[in-house]
Amino acid sequence: MVEREPDEGGEALSGDAHLLRGERSILRDREGRRSLAEAANAGRTAIPLSIIDVEKEYGGFRALDRVSLEVEAGEFLTLLGPSGSGKTTLLMVLAGFVRPSAGRVLLGGQDIVRSPPHKRGIGMMFQNYALFPHKTVGENIAYPLWVRGVPRRERRARVEEALELVRLPGYGERRIDALSGGQRQRVALARATVFRPQVLLMDEPLSALDKRLREQMQGELRALHRTLGMTTICVTHDQREALTMSDRIAVMNAGRIVQHDRPQAIYERPADAFVADFIGESVLLPVETRGGEAFFRDQPLMLREAVQRDGAHSLMIRPEKLRLVEGKAPPEANVFPARVTGTVYEGESLLLELALAEGATLRLRRLLQHAEGEAWPEPGAEVRVALHRRDSGLVAGTAP
């Protein structure tokens, strides 16, 4: 790879370029700190990150409302939420591009709220990748190493190593405009990790890719995380992406974290109606709770857990948990009479759309490999559907 020194003049720079260029000021520090090359090599061990009562206000609007979160060393955490939930603002606070109105951010026990972005030891992968169009792939990846004072020979070795890790060996001399979207994504990832940061931040890293490539890259990002072992925080609004890649997920809404847990726990046992409605596909039936029992209309429900308190609750029903009932109703199941209003062929599955007598709607999904050869009810047919007790859980609140 022929490596040219990055030019210093005259060109408008992206946010990522400003971050990297700012790091050159470290080269001029005379306070007896470690050399930048030593610092780059020191970031191999994953460290924890603590967010403590962080707030951010814009005028009268509170974008972050006393957010607290513990990110374990080496874990892959996803900040998940709808638009305007505060997830990107929180990521920018961690990166140093947004100063919080209150609160602390501890990286390995050290408060970094007042540290500039280039002195945090954090890698950042932007949503639009922010690659230099006038530089080669190798020059883009080498840039963070150059501003940190890493020697030329080591830079070349690190770039080659990074290209191997992201499955782009031999691409060092190619121009950015000659790459596909997926290849640009890998270059951006290589540049964000080549200097071995202690924490990697990713802002919607797969949003620009088509569905097939996005699903492929989900597995590749997860595999790369296991290889590098660095603490990783990713922002996305894609629920399946979060469920697929994460060790844990922090679901955000209106500037707050409403649930923080493992993907399976969040999917199976959402904290409230918002999480149940936002994560995956579900129907929330309003139920009445009294005397430690739950009722849908006047029908008593069998639940996997006892009712803890009276108040507004909903029965969460996932389409894949419902079963058609033929003949005798199964034991330990809640059975609902319904009328078929439509069927939808989805390729790998069939979706049955149902209406209950009370006006509520349900959906039942069956994989075709399980439904092959079965008679599928036609619209207008009267059927019964069952939800097993182990799948019958209440969530606080009603459908948003």
Side-chain angles (χ1 to χ4, degrees), residues 194-248:
V194 70
F195 66 99
R196 299 167 184 166
Q198 296 171 313
V199 175
L200 173 64
L201 306 179
M202 298 190 292
D203 184 15
E204 301 275 8
L206 307 180
S207 62
L209 306 180
D210 60 50
K211 181 178 183 295
R212 182 175 179 180
L213 185 55
R214 185 165 63 249
E215 292 175 350
Q216 175 188 336
M217 289 304 301
Q218 287 172 11
E220 292 192 16
L221 279 177
R222 196 71 178 95
L224 185 62
H225 173 259
R226 286 194 295 267
T227 299
L228 297 176
M230 66 181 61
T231 306
T232 301
I233 302 174
C234 176
V235 159
T236 185
H237 64 275
D238 188 309
Q239 305 149 29
R240 184 170 297 276
E241 185 177 304
L243 293 169
T244 299
M245 297 196 301
S246 311
D247 294 318
R248 288 190 297 170

Side-chain angles (χ1 to χ4, degrees), residues 148-349:
R148 285 171 171 80
V150 176
R152 180 188 295 267
R153 181 175 296 179
E154 185 177 352
R155 291 204 301 267
R156 290 176 176 174
R158 293 266 202 100
V159 169
E160 295 302 325
E161 177 185 281
L163 286 170
E164 289 283 347
L165 277 173
V166 298
R167 297 172 58 186
L168 290 177
Y171 275 65
E173 293 301 319
R174 296 202 184 187
R175 292 184 56 82
I176 296 300
D177 58 12
L179 302 180
S180 67
Q183 290 168 340
R184 294 184 189 190
Q185 194 260 7
R186 293 176 184 176
V187 172
L189 181 61
R191 188 178 66 178
T193 58
V194 70
F195 66 99
R196 299 167 184 166
Q198 296 171 313
V199 175
L200 173 64
L201 306 179
M202 298 190 292
D203 184 15
E204 301 275 8
L206 307 180
S207 62
L209 306 180
D210 60 50
K211 181 178 183 295
R212 182 175 179 180
L213 185 55
R214 185 165 63 249
E215 292 175 350
Q216 175 188 336
M217 289 304 301
Q218 287 172 11
E220 292 192 16
L221 279 177
R222 196 71 178 95
L224 185 62
H225 173 259
R226 286 194 295 267
T227 299
L228 297 176
M230 66 181 61
T231 306
T232 301
I233 302 174
C234 176
V235 159
T236 185
H237 64 275
D238 188 309
Q239 305 149 29
R240 184 170 297 276
E241 185 177 304
L243 293 169
T244 299
M245 297 196 301
S246 311
D247 294 318
R248 288 190 297 170
I249 299 171
V251 182
M252 298 191 67
N253 185 38
R256 296 183 176 184
I257 293 176
V258 293
Q259 188 169 3
H260 176 215
D261 213 329
R262 295 173 295 107
Q264 183 177 356
I266 285 180
Y267 185 83
E268 298 288 348
R269 297 173 181 269
D272 58 20
F274 168 80
V275 179
D277 184 66
F278 183 71
I279 301 292
E281 184 180 354
S282 64
V283 170
L284 300 178
L285 291 183
V287 301
E288 181 183 356
T289 57
R290 58 180 185 270
E293 294 186 282
F295 300 84
F296 174 63
R297 302 298 186 259
D298 292 323
Q299 176 183 345
L301 299 174
M302 292 181 284
L303 303 174
R304 63 189 176 201
E305 295 173 346
V307 177
Q308 298 299 318
R309 63 182 184 276
D310 293 343
H313 289 83
S314 297
L315 176 67
M316 181 184 73
I317 302 179
R318 301 285 192 191
E320 71 274 12
K321 302 294 186 181
L322 280 177
R323 295 290 181 267
L324 284 173
V325 175
E326 295 182 4
K328 186 178 179 181
E332 297 289 296
N334 298 296
V335 178
F336 304 95
R339 179 174 53 84
V340 178
T341 58
T343 58
V344 180
Y345 174 73
E346 298 180 326
E348 78 287 351
S349 61

